[in-house]
Amino acid sequence: MNLYKPFSFFLSASLMMTAAGVCAGASVTAGEAEAALYPKDPPFSLSRLEPSKKAKGYYEPLNEYNIFVNYELGMHCVGFDMNYCCVIPPYNSIQAQAVRSGKGGETPRLLSPFDGLKLYYYTKDNSYSEGNKMRYWSVAKDVDGDGHFDSPGDNMANYVWTHLFIYKDLEGTLPADANETQRLRIGEQIRVRYDSGPSGKPMAGGYMEYADRDGSNVVFTDTLIPAVKNVPLTLTASYIWDALGLPMTAFNDSRRRGTIRSVTESDFQPFQYSAVQLRTTDGKPVLDAQKRIIEYFGTNPVDIPNCYVCHSREGKAARMARDEGLVFSDKEYAYWKSYPDTSEYMARLAESSINILSLHDAHHGTRFLADYKPDAPGNRLGKTGPVNCADCHGDNISGNLQSPRPTATGYKTVKAKPLTEAIHGFHLAIVPMPDAAGRSQACQACHPTHFQDPSMNDDTNPYRVFDRYGKARFSDKDVRESGGGCYVRRDAHSNPDAAPPFFLNEYGKYLLREVSMKDEHGRPVKKMRGLYCTNCHNKIAQTFYHTDDLENAQRLKGKTLRNRTMAEITAVMTGGDLKRFNQLADQKTHGPNEVLKYYTEHKAATLVKNLSAKGLDLKPWNHPEGEAVAYSAVSGGSDWWLSASEPHCADCHIAPFVESMGGDYFPIDQPAKLSLYRYSKAHGDLACQSCHESIHGLYATRYDGPVRTVDLTTHEQALQYSPDGKYAGPVTCAACHTVNAKGVPKELAGTGYENDYWASVTLAHFMRSGDQKLSIEELVEKYPYKESAGIVKKGWK
């Protein structure tokens, strides 16, 4: 068992902060508050707002209703042709929250079905998948394990989900006498309908499901420990409307012509417009004062990993396979080129799939191509059927905690590394692709990199990080200045036009100073370069999580490193070795290759403690006694994609600009730890993603014009709530509240917050579930203005 080292190894007693200690949100003196000299005006005008007739001197909120639309994962890297293999299944959710604004100074209200309303969703110009956009339901796979592909439901769309099950409903109902014969497996007893997600939501549109206080869309799965079964996974957080797991592609209806063989890179539209309408319970659209249907849209990013550039034609992996005498991939390319409508892109995509499976067979002893049929018009892998990577590689993102997956069919399965470790570890060793700074271009090259402008999806685009055969193009430049994809040149963290306040803690200020404001040679720059993927996904973030034992989230009370000085942080993490700390915080591929070691040297966090020497008596991870049970002992996916291994806002941002307390969605998050951003809420039970958008696409996404921009969709999304039609940052108070000239809600009149926009923003982040029910007097007493003003001053940059 891979045991997590005891807390004492990480922290000496002198550095373990207690609830009585100094914290980022501690109250400041009156003198300190007066010295908080920062601009108290908002970074926008109120030019789109109408003066209030009911509340003189105030402005009415922009919209009568707001619907905030997002996708909980922020990006989805998925294939669309499952004839050969499935790394991650298609799965894009549309999530939303709806708010009735507070006209005339009334308090806004989060809407639910109890208001006699429901939400209707659809994706603009993207109403279907299977056919000339996707091969998924038409791909045969033995679901029931009878050795044949001819049973009803024998296809990949059903096969990839069979490790998940329910007993009665999607609310987590577990019978008292639950046993395996009562299980209704997704894909087997509950088949995935054509052009629909595993929960039944169709691509063509429909009504969203509402998750109340405890969340919804709860499915069960089993673990690596035989006695630990029926683990509930809550897929939709509380107070969220959701169209779960749609099989979305990056192709619009109006652009797709011909067969799927004709797809080219110019067909990709990775930032999809997902629209949500407010309707009455009888299905009639709700109209605003101008008799317009109340409808808003959000961004659903979906794209394909770029395996084909290296694994076909003259790519490095394709050449390596030929040198080893592996020729099936060349036969695959030739076969598809024999069809007159097959594009070069699709022929290479098929070639790359066979190349990957060939290399896997040759290097790992598998026999995926043992029955390969180079002349077959379909089912080209024969009796083996297409490969589902999660059959051997545990993967938490799809809820597959067991390795090997017990419902796998068609080939021998083994317990293998977690999927993310296997893929990243291997490729970062073979193709580290350093830029001039040593940062790996592979993150940007392998993950989705298509542009919304179809004319930019070829080698003529100077921002494209690789050429058509996978050769890196920023080896003597800064990869942060490349483009495409769901992060670089898109997210607020990589936006050179981002401006303070950043509300940073000391580590956040360190990254701003030493990474964001320096070029590829380490020289200071005037215009921010921003962060790269490896500045967030690293061992520093994981150690922050491991060392947390929190009592309160929004003030970060308890044991934590997040609000300490850099000297204290480096003392704990690297024994004070600043050079070593720099290697971990800004990972490079040269030298010790910390980008690679982040995956290959990963140690899973403690999930629970077991007090029994002979059986199971499980207690929380921070119980003073018992044997530590690591995530890796329970899940074949270790703790990847869960709170323990994901970066957190609190890594860099000062409290209260941090996530919610964990524990509500165990084992995805844990008590006394911070939850994931996508599960977190603050002001009035509003999800963080409602105001800030999905992670990797946070407002303000970079806007560099309607032609060159990576993601015009999210920029336009932000403008739906903009008080002046120009500001495209996080949603402001003016979207829902009646505000004064400072943009501060009328409810705060007569308090210290009244004339300080940024302090009122801080207050909104302090407020957690239940705080909206407090009177203003109680609220201001709980979160004093002096405290908020001090936080603004401290965290401005």
Side-chain angles (χ1 to χ4, degrees), residues 189-269:
Q189 284 78 27
I190 303 173
R191 291 178 192 154
V192 180
R193 294 186 296 183
Y194 205 81
D195 281 340
S196 300
S199 69
K201 294 300 177 187
M203 277 294 301
Y207 289 102
M208 308 176 83
E209 299 296 327
Y210 181 73
D212 213 333
R213 181 181 61 187
D214 297 323
S216 186
N217 283 317
V218 181
V219 295
F220 293 100
T221 192
D222 289 335
T223 73
L224 291 175
I225 300 175
V228 181
K229 297 178 179 294
N230 300 321
V231 174
L233 302 177
T234 303
L235 304 180
T236 306
S238 60
Y239 308 118
I240 298 287
W241 301 76
D242 198 357
L244 184 78
L246 303 177
M248 191 176 292
T249 67
F251 308 124
N252 289 348
D253 296 352
S254 60
R255 293 184 61 89
R256 268 288 53 234
R257 294 292 182 268
T259 71
I260 196 172
R261 295 189 299 268
S262 65
V263 169
T264 69
E265 289 202 86
S266 66
D267 288 315
F268 283 85
Q269 299 274 266

Side-chain angles (χ1 to χ4, degrees), residues 3 608-612 617 619-621 623-629:
L3 299 181
V608 291
K609 293 282 188 67
N610 184 21
L611 268 60
S612 174
D617 183 7
K619 301 296 180 182
W621 68 272
H623 194 275
E625 300 176 1
E627 180 185 21
V629 179

Side-chain angles (χ1 to χ4, degrees), residues 297-312:
F297 74 87
T299 310
N300 264 78
V302 56
D303 206 344
I304 187 172
N306 290 303
C307 309
Y308 87 99
V309 295
C310 290
H311 285 277
S312 68

Side-chain angles (χ1 to χ4, degrees), residues 574-745:
T574 62
D577 186 341
L578 185 58
K579 179 180 178 180
R580 176 63 181 151
F581 184 84
N582 292 341
Q583 290 175 337
L584 298 178
D586 190 14
Q587 299 175 21
K588 308 292 176 60
T589 59
H590 56 224
N593 196 348
E594 292 298 337
V595 190
L596 169 64
K597 291 165 71 175
Y598 169 63
Y599 295 98
T600 58
E601 296 181 355
H602 177 67
K603 292 180 175 59
T606 297
L607 174 63
V608 291
K609 293 282 188 67
N610 184 21
L611 268 60
S612 174
K614 297 182 179 180
L616 292 176
D617 183 7
L618 302 180
K619 301 296 180 182
W621 68 272
N622 55 356
H623 194 275
E625 300 176 1
E627 180 185 21
V629 179
Y631 271 98
S632 56
V634 177
S635 170
S638 190
D639 52 10
W640 296 107
W641 305 108
L642 307 180
S643 288
S645 281
E646 291 298 285
H648 288 74
C649 304
D651 296 346
C652 296
H653 294 283
I654 196 170
F657 299 89
V658 300
E659 291 86 351
S660 299
M661 185 73 87
D664 289 341
Y665 304 100
F666 183 85
I668 297 171
D669 61 19
Q670 297 173 286
K673 302 281 190 182
L674 292 169
S675 189
L676 289 170
Y677 168 81
R678 69 175 184 266
Y679 285 116
S680 294
K681 296 180 178 63
H683 178 52
D685 285 324
L686 279 177
C688 297
Q689 292 193 148
S690 286
C691 293
H692 290 273
E693 234 291 329
S694 306
I695 198 69
H696 299 118
L698 296 165
Y699 301 138
T701 48
R702 184 176 185 177
Y703 178 72
D704 53 2
V707 177
R708 291 196 301 123
T709 187
V710 173
D711 175 15
L712 184 61
T713 314
T714 310
H715 176 74
E716 292 178 344
Q717 177 182 345
L719 294 180
Q720 295 174 114
Y721 320 102
S722 175
D724 59 9
K726 299 177 182 177
Y727 171 80
V731 175
T732 71
C733 307
C736 301
H737 290 266
T738 302
V739 297
N740 63 18
K742 294 278 190 180
V744 176

Side-chain angles (χ1 to χ4, degrees), residues 43-119:
F44 49 79
S45 74
L46 305 179
S47 59
R48 292 179 70 191
L49 306 187
E50 296 290 335
S52 175
K53 295 178 181 178
K54 187 175 181 180
K56 292 185 178 180
Y58 287 86
Y59 298 84
E60 295 287 17
L62 178 65
N63 306 309
E64 184 177 354
Y65 292 91
N66 287 292
I67 304 176
F68 305 110
V69 186
N70 58 66
Y71 162 54
E72 79 273 31
L73 300 182
M75 63 187 296
H76 195 51
C77 187
V78 63
F80 59 89
D81 184 352
M82 306 300 168
N83 266 304
Y84 306 94
C85 62
C86 175
V87 181
I88 298 175
Y91 188 97
N92 271 66
S93 300
I94 301 174
Q95 296 194 333
Q97 286 190 299
V99 176
R100 187 184 70 183
S101 297
K103 294 281 186 178
E106 294 182 3
T107 301
R109 191 157 59 84
L110 197 60
L111 299 175
S112 76
F114 300 107
D115 296 293
L117 299 167
K118 55 185 179 180
L119 298 186

Side-chain angles (χ1 to χ4, degrees), residues 4 148 293 297 331 410 425 783:
Y4 172 59
H148 303 285
I293 294 174
F297 74 87
K331 290 184 177 182
Y783 307 114

